[in-house]
Amino acid sequence: MRKFVLPLIMAFVLFFVTGQCDAADKRIPVISTEEVSIGGITVGTSEEEVKGIYGEPSEEEDRQGPSAWGGPTRKALYGDSFEITYAMRTGTAMVITSSANNGLMSGGGFSVGDKIHSVLAKYGNGWHGGFKDKQGRPLKMMMYRSSRNTIIRFKYNDNMVITEISCFN
């Protein structure tokens, strides 16, 4: 009897944990992989490819990144509103952010300055995650994911205007 208890417990834990992960993924609506990009850049685009499109960044900063990214990262800033964080181990984009109406669009055709209603009309309600700001107020954002689990997040203000678009894993 005892030799069956541990495998039974392990099976239960595995089922519970994977079930929770699947449940979280299902809360974030899926859109096409091509639409999870900013200015033609996707998570996984190489630093060299980005430089081939946008040239040298106006500013770069190397940092110690999260261990999930394999260690050090490089933040590249183009102007004051387009930022890409690379995993230095792979040389590929991990986070892409546009924080001003700088002419860049998401793969779905949305820009900072657009109304969030246009995103909702195209994709439906996204997942807001229940996150809060420093004052404890709910963050105004909608997230969608590709079939590869890359996320695109649209932050918006009280006037329902998109203030930031980010892509990340």
Side-chain angles (χ1 to χ4, degrees), residues 7 20 27 55 69 90 101 106 111-112 116 129 137-138 160:
Q20 291 299 314
R27 287 182 280 191
W69 291 355
T90 61
N101 190 352
S106 72
S111 298
V112 171
I116 193 66
R137 298 176 301 215
M160 307 303 280

Side-chain angles (χ1 to χ4, degrees), residues 7-19:
L8 187 59
I9 291 172
M10 294 302 290
F12 176 75
V13 168
L14 182 62
F15 176 76
F16 181 75
V17 169
T18 57

Side-chain angles (χ1 to χ4, degrees), residues 3-132:
K3 65 182 176 179
F4 295 111
V5 173
L6 184 58
L8 187 59
I9 291 172
M10 294 302 290
F12 176 75
V13 168
L14 182 62
F15 176 76
F16 181 75
V17 169
T18 57
Q20 291 299 314
C21 292
D22 288 345
D25 286 347
K26 289 176 184 164
R27 287 182 280 191
I28 304 175
V30 177
I31 62 175
S32 78
T33 300
E34 296 77 29
E35 292 176 299
V36 183
S37 65
I38 300 171
I41 307 302
T42 62
V43 170
T45 301
S46 75
E47 187 172 4
E48 294 309 311
E49 268 184 272
V50 173
K51 287 181 178 179
I53 297 168
Y54 291 103
E56 291 293 322
S58 51
E59 191 178 315
E60 287 183 309
E61 179 185 350
D62 291 349
R63 307 178 189 187
Q64 182 56 42
S67 58
W69 291 355
T73 61
R74 172 170 294 132
K75 179 175 97 172
L77 189 61
Y78 291 86
D80 61 355
S81 61
F82 185 44
E83 182 180 304
I84 302 173
T85 301
Y86 301 97
M88 290 176 65
R89 180 178 55 82
T90 61
T92 58
M94 298 299 296
V95 181
I96 305 122
T97 303
S98 177
S99 58
N101 190 352
N102 51 21
L104 297 174
M105 295 190 332
S106 72
F110 303 108
S111 298
V112 171
D114 290 345
K115 294 281 191 174
I116 193 66
H117 297 297
S118 58
V119 174
L120 297 172
K122 183 170 185 172
Y123 299 142
N125 283 329
W127 187 60
H128 56 80
F131 299 105
K132 299 188 183 216

Side-chain angles (χ1 to χ4, degrees), residues 130-140 158:
F131 299 105
K132 299 188 183 216
D133 66 15
K134 292 176 184 173
Q135 289 77 36
R137 298 176 301 215
L139 287 178
K140 291 176 172 54
D158 290 337

